[in-house]
Amino acid sequence: MGQPKHEARTILLTGSRAPVTLELARQFARIGHRVLVADSLPYDLCASSRAVQQRFTVPTPRHNTTAFIAALRHIIQTEQVDWLIPTCEEVFYISAGRDWLTPYCQVFVEPLAKLKPLHNKWLFIQKIQALGLAVPQTWQVASRAALIAILASNIPERLVIKPVYSRFATQVRFLEKSASVLPSIDLSPANPWVLQAFIPGTHYCLYGIAHDGKLTAFAAYPTLFTAGQGACIYFKAIDAPHLLSWMQTIVAAEQFTGQIAFDVIETEDGTIYPLECNPRAISAVHLFEPSDRLDQAFFGSIDSLIRPVADRQVAVRFAMVLYGLPHAVMTGRLGQWVQAMGRARGAILQWRDPLPGLFLPRMLGRLAYQSLQQRQSLQTVSTQDIEWDGTAIRIEGEIEERQAR
């Protein structure tokens, strides 16, 4: 079950509120690594997990980046951490502070200057187009007048508009070129949106781990059940060499190191169109098992490509009941939903490690209460302290002083 002692490493995972972080913690621990987790929320999924040896509460990266980086460095030095692996959007703040952290451990993230054009939906499309790959017709819109002018030009009838920086597809709007009423959205130079031609086809999520432009792990799954318009809640691994080849082209061109994910549309003629990039972990991690040895992909200690078994299925069961079941009933896919629930492994509740699943309602209850208080969506309050929308990240010269205290 365990890995030889001399190969074991101490790993610090950030973003321990997320199911994907719990998955990584369980996999690393099963293999024999020592797992620590950190988050700015005072409660999370990983806190009660048997896989986690210690959990740390750190300052919010978005609102106190200097203290956040200082806290991570203190943990790294005190606990003799070998690898720091971000999982959620705190990745951008760790990227900004990597120079303060890399002297003490391996920080599995690229510099911020490399991540920003991938995270920015307008710059990302330009980057992919420059590689000679197909992209949707895309315009950056910074005012209502500019939007009206574009809609009056010779463009496709069906369109999609979304903020340059956004997550979970919660702000995606669909519109018709000939619509008499435009969506009520905040457009400004400080808050630009991207307008794209709607591309009909099959939506896929792609995930990879890379070192110096070479993928060491890859997974892909179609979008079948989601939480509203947002995140996927059911994952079925597929064998898709053409999607792998497409992703390898981009990762090689970027000489990318770290975790990276893409949302793409494949049309009937086989053309792959990129929608957005997330240079961080996504739920595809659930498709791997400890026996796949995903740790070797992170450490870059293999020459082969690690992939999950095709047709392996995993579901976030509570979300499948809350979101997936009503949508399945409305769209006539109840049979597909029943089949998915019957075949998929649960992403959170597991008999080897039951407490995270049992404590999940308490965590969701706290987030729901916060959502009602702030009159914001549950997804918004779950990430608002770690989001990054391209603003300058300042890390002041207080780290050395704070570290000495």
Side-chain angles (χ1 to χ4, degrees):
M1 164 152 176
Q3 192 182 31
K5 187 174 182 181
H6 70 275
E7 294 183 13
R9 293 171 169 87
T10 295
I11 300 166
L12 175 60
L13 301 172
T14 56
S16 54
R17 69 191 70 185
V20 67
T21 315
L22 177 63
E23 183 69 51
L24 285 176
R26 286 167 166 168
Q27 293 202 29
F28 282 131
R30 284 280 301 279
I31 295 164
H33 299 294
R34 176 175 176 246
V35 179
L36 314 174
V37 298
D39 205 301
S40 51
L41 284 183
Y43 47 85
D44 61 45
L45 276 178
C46 293
S48 58
S49 173
R50 294 175 57 191
V52 173
Q53 291 208 7
Q54 194 164 352
R55 192 265 187 202
F56 300 90
T57 301
V58 293
T60 62
R62 181 179 179 183
H63 302 116
N64 200 342
T65 310
T66 299
F68 171 68
I69 296 299
L72 290 182
R73 194 166 83 168
H74 179 72
I75 296 167
I76 290 166
Q77 290 181 286
T78 302
E79 300 296 330
Q80 298 183 339
V81 170
D82 299 304
W83 281 76
L84 168 60
I85 301 176
T87 64
C88 301
E89 211 156 305
E90 80 283 347
V91 64
F92 301 108
Y93 299 95
I94 291 175
S95 178
R98 69 194 297 271
D99 288 347
W100 281 270
L101 303 173
T102 50
Y104 307 100
C105 76
Q106 293 285 339
V107 181
F108 200 55
V109 64
E110 290 279 24
L112 192 60
K114 200 165 188 176
L115 297 188
K116 182 174 181 177
L118 296 172
H119 183 49
N120 180 300
K121 291 177 174 57
W122 167 246
L123 296 178
F124 167 64
I125 291 297
Q126 290 184 309
K127 183 177 284 289
I128 300 304
Q129 189 173 30
L131 294 177
L133 299 174
V135 298
Q137 285 183 271
T138 305
W139 303 264
Q140 183 170 231
V141 184
S143 70
R144 196 168 185 82
L147 175 59
I148 293 171
I150 294 171
L151 292 177
S153 63
N154 184 25
I155 65 172
E157 176 65 23
R158 299 187 67 191
L159 301 156
V160 179
I161 189 166
K162 53 194 173 182
V164 165
Y165 295 104
S166 56
R167 50 210 56 84
F168 301 132
T170 54
Q171 293 179 276
V172 170
R173 304 287 187 271
F174 297 91
L175 68 150
E176 305 291 326
K177 174 187 173 182
S178 57
S180 57
V181 179
L182 295 180
S184 178
I185 55 179
D186 176 24
L187 289 170
S188 69
N191 184 40
W193 288 49
V194 290
L195 180 70
Q196 289 183 323
F198 175 81
I199 305 293
T202 305
H203 181 225
Y204 294 101
C205 296
L206 316 181
Y207 168 76
I209 300 170
H211 289 266
D212 299 322
K214 180 182 178 182
L215 283 175
T216 54
F218 172 79
Y221 59 86
T223 301
L224 298 175
F225 293 99
T226 62
Q229 287 189 163
C232 287
I233 54 179
Y234 167 76
F235 324 101
K236 182 177 180 179
I238 60 170
D239 183 20
H242 63 302
L243 296 176
L244 168 61
S245 177
W246 182 89
M247 187 167 180
Q248 285 174 323
T249 298
I250 299 169
V251 168
E254 287 291 300
Q255 283 295 291
F256 191 84
T257 295
Q259 299 180 87
I260 190 166
F262 300 94
D263 287 335
V264 302
I265 293 285
E266 183 180 9
T267 58
E268 287 187 1
D269 65 3
T271 304
I272 301 169
Y273 288 93
L275 299 182
E276 63 180 62
C277 173
N278 292 300
R280 55 171 173 78
I282 64 167
S283 297
V285 169
H286 293 300
L287 293 171
F288 295 89
E289 297 284 349
S291 59
D292 294 323
R293 292 301 304 268
L294 199 58
D295 64 322
Q296 294 183 348
F298 277 99
F299 304 149
S301 54
I302 56 167
D303 293 325
S304 58
L305 178 68
I306 295 174
R307 302 180 64 177
V309 174
D311 294 327
R312 183 177 286 161
Q313 300 173 53
V314 181
V316 183
R317 292 187 179 278
F318 81 91
M320 281 288 282
V321 173
L322 186 63
Y323 296 102
L325 178 57
H327 190 259
V329 172
M330 287 189 298
T331 57
R333 297 193 305 157
L334 182 59
Q336 186 182 16
W337 181 89
V338 171
Q339 188 178 68
M341 287 291 280
R343 294 182 178 179
R345 166 178 70 82
I348 298 174
L349 184 58
Q350 297 183 8
W351 70 268
R352 287 178 176 270
D353 187 29
L355 290 183
L358 297 176
F359 288 150
L360 177 62
R362 184 176 69 174
M363 175 182 165
L364 291 176
R366 290 181 175 182
L367 287 173
Y369 177 71
Q370 190 176 350
S371 173
L372 289 172
Q373 275 192 319
Q374 299 180 10
R375 297 182 180 180
Q376 294 179 315
S377 71
L378 191 64
Q379 290 174 323
T380 297
V381 299
S382 70
T383 61
Q384 61 185 353
D385 59 325
I386 59 174
E387 292 174 0
W388 183 62
D389 289 344
T391 56
I393 299 177
R394 297 188 55 149
I395 300 177
E396 302 168 0
E398 302 175 17
I399 289 183
E400 302 293 343
E401 180 183 345
R402 292 179 187 215
Q403 200 73 10
R405 290 177 184 173

